[in-house]
Amino acid sequence: MTVLSAVASSAGAPIPTVPIPTAPGALPLFGHSLALLRDPLPLLLSLPAHGDVVRLRLGVGEVYVVCTPELTNELLHDPRTFDKGGFFFDRLRELTGNNVASCPHAQHAAQRRRVQPVFRKDRMPGYGRTIVDQAAAVTARWRHDTTVEVFPDMLRIGAGCAAALVFGAAFAPDALERTISDITLYVKGIFTRMFLPPALARVPLPANRRYEQVRKRLRDSVSEIVDGYGTTAHPVGGGLLTALLEPPPGGGAESRDGLVDQLTLMLMAGTESTATTVAWALHELSLDPDLQYRLHSEVDAVVGAGAPCYAHLEHLPLMGRVLTETLRKYPAAWILSRVTTKPATLGGHHIPAGAPIVFSPYLLHRRPDVFADPDRFDPDRWLPGAPRPLRSALIPFGGGTRKCAGDTFAMTESALVLASILTRWSLHPVPGAGVRLAAYGALQPENLRLRAQSRR
Ligand code: HEM
């Protein structure tokens, strides 16, 4: 690539910059919106061939996509310049206002301190018991040699675990189903609207009206729980809700709206992400009987005939590698956005202030020059002593100060749900089921059905 242009540095001297290519295939008026709405994943994977930073056009606007691990890490570790904002977080704020995940850098440290106590490591054994109970309750409905709709069941477990963390209590069964459906619809709506030219997102189309209804219903559900806090109808206690009701050390209690924002965000962040992770892990295990046998043997040797618990996890190294590889191949948060707060330089490219930037764990994790044979599911690439893939390119939980607050909880939950299932069941593909990687909210396994056979 040639150096064709220059911008002035603060000292007035010109800084050479590298022009940023636009990805081919932009249509008049729509740009790349239609391709992104149809299936964004192939388009994302095609971008590194055009440059380290590539422009996509959305209607009349444009977005810069960062395509290398080095530049993505540079962006993640400079949150003052590359702040929260852009398409994804603008949509998220419509539902959850200014929360720990969406707030600007200047407010972040204080917000993070407020939520951090619920993620302390010493809380994990207690959460572990709830997670195992949730997994047992959902899989108790499975029958020997029958077909299981895996993803909906993993969503039930994920939402149950997130509710325990957020509210300190389980959902009533009808509220659970409604909330799962609303979260799934809303997150799907965020992704659709991200790629629409902004003017279309404001037109009162039926899809936009439905999005608004779901937004209101989700907030109302969370508000009801907040309003019922401490009454016998809502026996809550111990979760994020309790922590946020404590005034912070310097004073300034949370407003009711602020509380609802924070809780709604956490419920959303904790539901689909772990559900898709466990569902994809089960899919891959069903395709590789030897790997499933190895994992059964590991779990049997460590857990025995009882129920798994948090203390078992450090003795399940293959489980750890299976989950790491699942998060590489299927990173739930596959695309995220930022906005530049000032003119910035990224890899020699000049990016103006106020520009929307996108980075994609999915794009990085599937780069063949970074992860050899990236479509192959190979937990052993993470064996100690194996030729090390580039660790800094593995960013399922993001990085820097905005790294996922729930990463330890998510790994604990995913491992305990998998262990709970594997102690009792082996899972096998259903011929002709045709699982599809669907970039809706999280990367969902559409049409994932597995045959469950009891091991006991
Ligand atoms: C496998 C499961 C999960 C994945 C892959 C995941 C991924 C991510 C990623 C990539 C980010 C960074 C976003 C950015 O840089 O813009 C993030 C942030 C966050 N996640 Fe997760 N997450 C998972 C589970 C959870 C769970 C279970 C919770 C809590 C219940 C949670 C709560 C959060 C919060 C609060 C943030 C914002 C952190 C901050 O800005 O300080 N996540 N997550």
Side-chain angles (χ1 to χ4, degrees):
M1 213 175 292
T2 51
V3 175
L4 291 181
S5 54
V7 290
S9 73
S10 51
I15 302 171
T17 67
V18 182
I20 300 178
T22 299
L27 298 173
L29 229 62
F30 287 99
H32 297 94
S33 288
L34 295 184
L36 287 166
L37 286 168
R38 213 175 298 122
D39 188 356
L41 301 179
L43 179 57
L44 278 179
L45 294 188
S46 73
L47 298 181
H50 305 292
D52 295 348
V53 180
V54 178
R55 280 179 231 254
L56 289 178
R57 283 198 24 230
L58 303 182
V60 286
E62 61 182 9
V63 50
Y64 298 82
V65 187
V66 181
C67 298
T68 72
E70 295 76 15
L71 295 183
T72 305
N73 275 294
E74 211 176 297
L75 169 147
L76 286 170
H77 289 90
D78 184 0
R80 275 191 186 82
T81 308
F82 302 100
D83 205 349
K84 285 289 174 120
F87 299 110
F88 178 78
F89 289 103
D90 291 348
R91 297 287 84 79
L92 187 66
R93 283 180 188 137
E94 288 166 4
L95 174 72
T96 60
N98 211 20
N99 58 63
V100 62
S102 69
C103 69
H105 173 71
Q107 298 167 15
H108 178 247
Q111 292 231 21
R112 181 87 179 217
R113 266 197 304 277
R114 295 283 281 145
V115 303
Q116 201 63 45
V118 295
F119 295 111
R120 277 203 327 252
K121 211 164 170 214
D122 61 1
R123 295 267 191 128
M124 296 301 148
Y127 293 139
R129 287 187 286 278
T130 309
I131 292 163
V132 170
D133 288 349
Q134 294 287 333
V138 171
T139 55
R141 295 194 284 267
W142 294 6
R143 294 288 170 266
H144 176 61
D145 217 14
T146 58
T147 298
V148 175
E149 297 285 342
V150 177
F151 185 50
D153 272 354
M154 294 310 112
L155 274 175
R156 289 183 183 103
I157 298 172
C161 295
L165 177 95
V166 173
F167 305 121
F171 278 119
D174 58 329
L176 175 72
E177 295 299 324
R178 195 188 58 224
T179 308
I180 290 173
S181 151
D182 284 349
I183 288 179
T184 315
L185 281 171
Y186 193 83
V187 178
K188 194 172 169 184
I190 290 184
F191 281 88
T192 312
R193 290 162 67 94
M194 246 170 71
F195 299 137
L196 277 181
L200 268 187
R202 288 191 291 271
V203 177
L205 298 168
N208 289 343
R209 280 204 299 272
R210 271 198 304 278
Y211 179 80
E212 183 48 33
Q213 282 161 3
V214 170
R215 188 191 74 79
K216 187 170 174 325
R217 217 164 41 219
L218 256 179
R219 282 192 72 86
D220 288 350
S221 305
V222 174
S223 302
E224 255 174 51
I225 298 178
V226 171
D227 293 341
Y229 181 80
T231 69
T232 47
H234 300 281
V236 283
L240 182 65
L241 176 54
T242 314
L244 293 180
L245 286 169
E246 285 286 314
E254 201 85 44
S255 71
R256 183 172 171 287
D257 274 356
L259 204 58
V260 173
D261 286 343
Q262 212 71 271
L263 299 170
T264 312
L265 173 274
M266 209 61 87
L267 197 57
M268 270 178 63
T271 297
E272 272 200 1
S273 54
T274 48
T276 52
T277 304
V278 180
W280 281 119
L282 290 172
H283 166 68
E284 290 289 350
L285 290 170
S286 78
L287 296 179
D288 186 342
D290 286 346
L291 177 63
Q292 188 170 170
Y293 175 79
R294 281 167 63 203
L295 195 53
H296 274 141
S297 306
E298 181 178 272
V299 170
D300 290 350
V302 174
V303 177
C309 67
Y310 180 73
H312 290 135
L313 297 184
E314 62 177 307
H315 305 293
L316 298 172
L318 178 57
M319 172 75 78
R321 293 201 301 280
V322 165
L323 284 173
T324 302
E325 181 66 349
T326 305
L327 286 164
R328 179 196 66 80
K329 194 171 170 191
Y330 308 100
W334 56 280
I335 193 166
L336 291 154
S337 66
R338 293 289 189 272
V339 67
T340 45
T341 54
K342 56 183 183 195
T345 307
L346 206 50
H349 303 287
H350 171 68
I351 299 179
I357 314 255
V358 158
F359 67 98
S360 164
Y362 175 78
L363 181 162
L364 296 189
H365 294 180
R366 298 276 185 132
R367 278 190 69 137
D369 55 338
V370 179
F371 296 103
D373 201 357
D375 294 342
R376 192 159 59 93
F377 186 82
D378 179 12
D380 290 346
R381 56 173 105 226
W382 304 106
L383 265 176
R388 263 269 174 261
L390 192 61
R391 265 279 171 185
S392 61
L394 183 76
I395 53 158
F397 294 111
T401 52
R402 307 309 288 254
K403 186 167 183 234
C404 179
D407 55 351
T408 306
F409 180 85
M411 291 305 272
T412 300
E413 179 185 330
S414 305
L416 283 175
V417 173
L418 263 187
S420 302
I421 292 172
L422 293 173
T423 50
R424 300 235 17 232
W425 303 96
S426 63
L427 292 145
H428 310 274
V430 172
V435 180
R436 196 178 81 87
L437 182 60
Y440 290 147
L443 279 186
Q444 291 181 11
E446 194 172 65
N447 209 22
L448 175 57
R449 281 185 259 126
L450 296 176
R451 193 131 200 103
Q453 289 189 320
S454 172
R455 301 182 63 223
R456 292 197 178 152

